[in-house]
Amino acid sequence: MVRGRPQGLERAVGNLLENAAKFDADGDEPVLVRVRQGSITVLDRGPGIADADVRRVFDRFYRADGARPLPGSGLGLAIVHDVAEAHGGTVSAGARPGGGATVGFTVSRSRLLR
């Protein structure tokens, strides 16, 4: 349980899941969701995130080369960033071992209800 803005948190999680589904072109690999003590991480088996793009994927309107042909405006992960920041947290993105991406965010431990 987290003390925060329910609509913002719901939107952030939804954006992570929508991105994972969008980048798994075949749709046959499971998307994993890890929730642990104020953090949520979505792991997919899509094409992954290039090292050069990792620092920018949370920027407004940023679209990596591989994402340009797909639907979207480049705002989904920027919203995740804003929600995480509003809840005292951080964002993360990187490669998933074995292929794919891991993308997620945290909230401040002070927002966790015990």
Side-chain angles (χ1 to χ4, degrees), residues 13-71:
V13 172
N15 286 356
L16 294 176
L17 292 170
E18 287 172 15
N19 274 4
K22 177 169 53 174
F23 286 102
D24 180 11
D26 297 331
D28 57 357
E29 290 292 330
V31 171
L32 301 179
V33 179
R34 289 188 184 144
V35 179
R36 292 187 180 133
Q37 303 203 356
S39 78
I40 183 162
T41 306
V42 174
L43 300 91
D44 67 41
R45 288 289 184 205
I49 302 170
D51 291 340
D53 295 320
V54 168
R55 291 184 302 236
R56 302 219 37 224
V57 295
F58 294 100
D59 292 350
R60 285 190 186 283
F61 304 112
Y62 181 74
R63 307 253 308 158
D65 289 339
R68 290 189 180 130
L70 299 172

